[in-house]
Amino acid sequence: MSHPSACTESLDPRFDELVLFNAELELLAEGFRWLEGPVWFGDQRCLLVNDIPNNRTLRWSQQDGISTFLEPSAFANGQARDRQGRLIQCHHSSRCLTRLEYDGSITTLVEQAGGKRLNAPNDVVVKRDGSIWFSDPLYGLLTDFEGGRQCSEQPPALYRLDPDGGGITAVAQDFDGPNGLAFSADEQWLYVAETGAAGSTNPRQYIRRFQVSADGRSLSGGDLFHKISSGWADGLRCDERGNLWCSAADGVHVIGPDGVLLGKVLIPQRVSNLCFGDRFNSRLFICASTALYALFTNTRGAS
Ligand code: MG
């Protein structure tokens, strides 16, 4: 446990309204290999999170602590709930997205685009209209650690999956390595972490912002929104005020809607992903390499 003043760094007065003077950074659990894909289940009062190299999905609750939820998990990474509350998972080794049904069976939602296998779906969000948006970079195919080396059949892309059988559409393809993604609260913007292809001499490593079309089905723009200093962002979440909470090497960086770094939640390990949850959707859950942390904030996640 660390003192609150030691766990945040304010760089803009707007940041001071987002954090609480008396909320401490909490270490919830540790001993994992590489945590990813946090998603809050309010009705179950629990967080689901993936320990990718250990090929398992874990469940954390305040009452019960950590337990195994799904094992093996096909090296699941990003997760979200659909509009019916079902768990959506991205899988590295099976190169697909699945949905966990109410009866416990698992449905494969998509494993191909344009007649070719997906790479290694990385992160996923569900829009209010039920459409499923996910990134498909190569990372999960490159190492045995995160799912086993496999050959890519197509370039990285960002996809929209129609909930009503309308199929899969590439909404953006101009990527080195699309990673975490998050809609703004009004769903007018989609933020995507570009983490650059491994081995690239000049990798694009910054957060891009796309404008969502009026019908909610396509994107435009995609210019640089913010460059994390130093390094890159992975998972992202928006709050109700339009701020972007980003994973970074030294913790969580909070970026204003104008692209300005407002402040940091300092974490002693690299952060891969994060989400808001708990009773008021104001508790930030932080996946940090081998440990899971949490911090109560004074804002709420965009719902
Ligand atoms: Mg990711």
Side-chain angles (χ1 to χ4, degrees):
M1 299 288 182
S2 61
H3 190 269
S5 61
C7 86
T8 59
E9 179 182 346
S10 177
L11 301 166
D12 185 296
R14 287 176 283 173
F15 182 77
D16 303 331
E17 301 172 5
L18 304 175
V19 291
L20 299 159
F21 81 93
N22 54 353
E24 298 204 17
L25 181 67
E26 299 171 68
L27 173 62
L28 300 183
E30 57 186 336
F32 314 109
R33 284 214 166 97
W34 178 251
L35 280 190
E36 259 283 6
V39 59
W40 178 253
F41 276 62
D43 52 344
Q44 306 290 323
R45 307 278 196 275
C46 78
L47 183 83
L48 295 183
V49 66
N50 287 312
D51 184 4
I52 300 178
N54 281 322
N55 198 15
R56 58 183 181 168
T57 301
L58 302 170
R59 175 188 187 276
W60 176 89
S61 74
Q62 194 74 61
Q63 277 189 319
D64 305 326
I66 281 282
S67 59
T68 300
F69 184 74
L70 288 172
E71 187 176 21
S73 62
F75 293 83
N77 186 340
Q79 303 185 117
R81 293 188 87 175
D82 71 6
R83 302 304 292 173
Q84 292 74 37
R86 297 167 294 192
L87 175 67
I88 307 291
Q89 290 189 308
C90 295
H91 301 277
H92 286 178
S93 61
S94 54
R95 304 168 69 161
C96 67
L97 264 68
T98 60
R99 181 176 65 213
L100 181 60
E101 308 292 354
Y102 300 130
D103 65 3
S105 62
I106 294 173
T107 301
T108 298
L109 296 178
V110 62
E111 50 193 348
Q112 291 193 346
K116 295 177 179 175
R117 293 189 75 186
L118 295 172
N119 293 305
N122 188 293
D123 215 341
V124 58
V125 289
V126 176
K127 203 165 172 293
R128 271 187 212 107
D129 64 5
S131 58
I132 297 168
W133 299 59
F134 67 96
S135 57
D136 185 45
L138 272 60
Y139 305 119
L141 299 180
L142 301 177
T143 66
D144 292 334
F145 189 58
E146 291 209 35
R149 273 182 276 170
Q150 299 185 58
C151 293
S152 168
E153 296 181 12
Q154 55 184 319
L158 188 69
Y159 292 103
R160 175 187 185 275
L161 183 64
D162 194 290
D164 304 316
I168 182 171
T169 308
V171 287
Q173 294 173 292
D174 168 32
F175 281 106
D176 283 351
N179 206 320
L181 61 164
F183 283 106
S184 60
D186 58 12
E187 296 190 339
Q188 290 192 17
W189 303 100
L190 179 68
Y191 298 92
V192 183
E194 168 87 88
T195 47
S200 168
T201 50
N202 187 24
R204 288 193 289 184
Q205 294 183 336
Y206 48 81
I207 298 163
R208 300 171 65 178
R209 187 170 74 161
F210 293 85
Q211 180 138 38
V212 181
S213 63
D215 68 2
R217 301 174 69 92
S218 60
L219 301 176
S220 60
D223 295 337
L224 187 157
F225 172 70
H226 181 86
K227 171 87 177 87
I228 293 285
S229 181
S230 61
W232 66 91
D234 191 339
L236 317 164
R237 288 293 189 283
C238 284
D239 70 18
E240 61 184 355
R241 307 186 197 194
N243 303 304
L244 192 61
W245 296 63
C246 308
S247 55
D250 57 350
V252 177
H253 291 201
V254 183
I255 316 299
D258 54 359
V260 172
L261 174 62
L262 306 184
K264 302 178 179 181
V265 179
L266 298 170
I267 306 288
Q269 294 173 273
R270 168 172 275 285
V271 174
S272 62
N273 215 329
L274 49 96
C275 76
F276 287 94
D278 216 318
R279 180 68 184 85
F280 301 105
N281 205 30
S282 58
R283 191 179 190 182
L284 187 67
F285 291 96
I286 302 161
C287 293
S289 303
T290 61
L292 178 66
Y293 294 85
L295 179 70
F296 282 99
T297 73
N298 196 31
T299 186
R300 293 178 175 182
S303 56

